[in-house]
Amino acid sequence: MNSSDDAHLTETLLDSRTLCDGSFLKARCDTVRLPDGRQARREYIVHPGAVVIIGLLDDGRVLLERQFRYPVGRVMTEFPAGKLDPGEDPLACARRELLEETGYTAGQWAYAGGMHLAIAYSTEIIHIFFARQLVAGAAQLDPDEFLEVCSATPQELALACRSGEVTDAKTLTCTLWLQNVLAGHWALDWQGQDEPARP
């Protein structure tokens, strides 16, 4: 599926301007040269990147959370996740987010890969981590953060994805990863707490 020469598909930046410079997201409008020489505009969101954690509980269930997501106006069921701080290592972010949102720490971590969430209009990349040997503790939520920690069997999660109960894109993608890892089709390189399970 890869090509060694994608010049016939590549767009070249000519000019860039900022549309919005928020504390979290930034919006840009770029003028590009198309492969055929014409020009076009590309509006997109600049995102700092994020992590998502597939937490494997000792009883075979996976760690999930439910929280109200304002842009879509509903409570969503999803894997724990969070954005990278400036210069933050993705594994450090995964450890921090797991603890802050759920109270859990993990004895072992494995990096699964990255996913681009909305390639047509965002730079966002989400780094996927698996975590196991989980130990429960107290969550450390931000003052404006309200969520409910829950769990499900992989089969229950897959059914929720199939029925439309779970529609979060990162959780759908992670469910695919989970199914393939549990079936033995996709291998993970598990690392201890102090080892670099990095992208």
Side-chain angles (χ1 to χ4, degrees):
M1 289 187 287
N2 293 327
S3 172
S4 59
D5 183 10
D6 287 337
H8 64 293
L9 299 173
T10 302
E11 299 175 359
T12 305
L13 175 66
L14 298 175
D15 181 63
S16 183
R17 63 189 175 94
T18 300
L19 300 176
C20 172
D21 190 10
S23 59
F24 171 33
L25 299 175
K26 305 180 189 317
R28 302 196 65 80
C29 179
D30 291 358
T31 302
V32 300
R33 180 182 293 113
L34 300 173
D36 64 2
R38 292 179 298 139
Q39 293 184 11
R41 288 193 318 173
R42 298 289 182 249
E43 295 178 356
Y44 61 99
I45 301 296
V46 178
H47 188 286
V51 299
V52 60
I53 304 105
I54 304 170
L56 307 177
L57 295 165
D58 290 344
D59 64 2
R61 300 172 73 84
V62 291
L63 194 62
L64 298 165
E65 56 191 38
R66 299 178 69 247
Q67 62 180 312
F68 184 80
R69 292 298 196 175
Y70 183 82
V72 295
R74 58 176 279 201
V75 173
M76 303 289 278
T77 299
E78 55 193 284
F79 281 109
K83 70 178 179 67
L84 291 164
D85 288 337
E88 187 176 27
D89 175 78
L91 177 58
C93 180
R95 288 174 170 155
R96 175 177 59 77
E97 289 291 345
L98 183 66
L99 175 62
E100 289 178 358
E101 294 192 353
T102 71
Y104 279 88
T105 55
Q108 289 192 320
W109 290 86
Y111 181 69
M115 91 179 124
H116 287 93
L117 193 62
I119 56 175
Y121 59 86
S122 175
T123 65
E124 181 176 8
I125 183 170
I126 301 181
H127 300 279
I128 305 168
F129 287 92
F130 279 73
R132 68 184 181 188
Q133 298 177 0
L134 299 181
V135 177
Q140 302 171 16
L141 298 175
D142 293 333
D144 62 350
E145 201 169 24
F146 299 86
L147 60 84
E148 174 183 286
V149 177
C150 56
S151 65
T153 66
Q155 296 78 14
E156 289 169 341
L157 177 58
L159 286 173
C161 293
R162 174 65 182 88
S163 70
E165 179 184 349
V166 171
T167 60
D168 171 55
K170 68 181 178 299
T171 302
L172 293 171
T173 300
C174 287
T175 300
L176 174 67
W177 260 100
L178 177 65
Q179 290 174 328
N180 279 280
V181 166
L182 293 179
H185 301 314
W186 295 356
L188 293 173
D189 181 17
W190 288 99
Q191 304 294 326
Q193 175 70 19
D194 299 320
E195 296 176 271
R198 301 174 188 274

